[in-house]
Amino acid sequence: MYRPKIERKANIMKSAKTISRIFLTVFSTGLIVGGANSAFAAGGTWTTKAPMPTPRYGFVADVVNGVLYAVGGVANWQALTNVEAYNPLTDAWTTKAPMPIARMSSAVSAVDGILYVFGGSASDGYPTTTVQAYNPVTDSWTNKNNMPTVRNRF
């Protein structure tokens, strides 16, 4: 069924907000009660937490020292540089230093207190070999050696 472009964009953004809220609820509930599996324990309850400041999809997230970091993604058809941190103890979000390169559909992994973001795609849709590291203590990014091949959506 054909829908006007504006209506499709509005539906996608609405879906992105819903996905962000579900994602945050699952992960923050898991963090608070001791692990992601605990969020689904028999007799458990769902609670609504502070919404993510930037509605988006295609972002990546990981936890460093009990704080959840949401990195990159897509909003309004553009890849984002946004980095936001959620502290489940205070139920509050803070904006962090943006990624040097806007990316969506990347991969992320936390190692020894550093977030590593791998690959992904820019707004033009082309995958990248870029690897960058975010240090939450200094709120800064460092370029790392690129991957040997392009990767996204992994």
Side-chain angles (χ1 to χ4, degrees), residues 23 25-41 46 63:
F23 173 84
T25 301
V26 169
F27 278 94
S28 64
T29 302
L31 290 171
I32 291 169
V33 296
N37 291 337
S38 300
F40 303 104
W46 290 89
V63 176

Side-chain angles (χ1 to χ4, degrees), residues 23-139:
F23 173 84
L24 175 59
T25 301
V26 169
F27 278 94
S28 64
T29 302
L31 290 171
I32 291 169
V33 296
N37 291 337
S38 300
F40 303 104
T45 59
W46 290 89
T47 57
T48 301
K49 300 295 180 182
M52 235 168 55
T54 305
R56 54 186 143 169
Y57 63 95
F59 63 96
V60 293
D62 209 338
V63 176
V64 175
N65 297 324
V67 175
L68 174 70
Y69 291 85
V71 181
V74 180
N76 298 321
W77 306 103
Q78 294 294 313
L80 300 174
T81 60
N82 297 49
V83 178
E84 294 161 345
Y86 175 75
N87 185 334
L89 298 177
T90 61
D91 187 30
W93 286 91
T94 54
T95 300
K96 299 299 182 180
M99 281 191 298
I101 298 170
R103 289 187 277 171
M104 59 185 157
S105 303
S106 301
V108 66
S109 185
V111 178
D112 295 330
I114 304 293
L115 285 175
Y116 293 89
V117 180
F118 303 91
S121 296
S123 289
D124 61 10
Y126 288 103
T128 180
T129 59
T130 303
V131 177
Q132 294 171 323
Y134 174 73
N135 184 332
V137 173
T138 61
D139 191 30

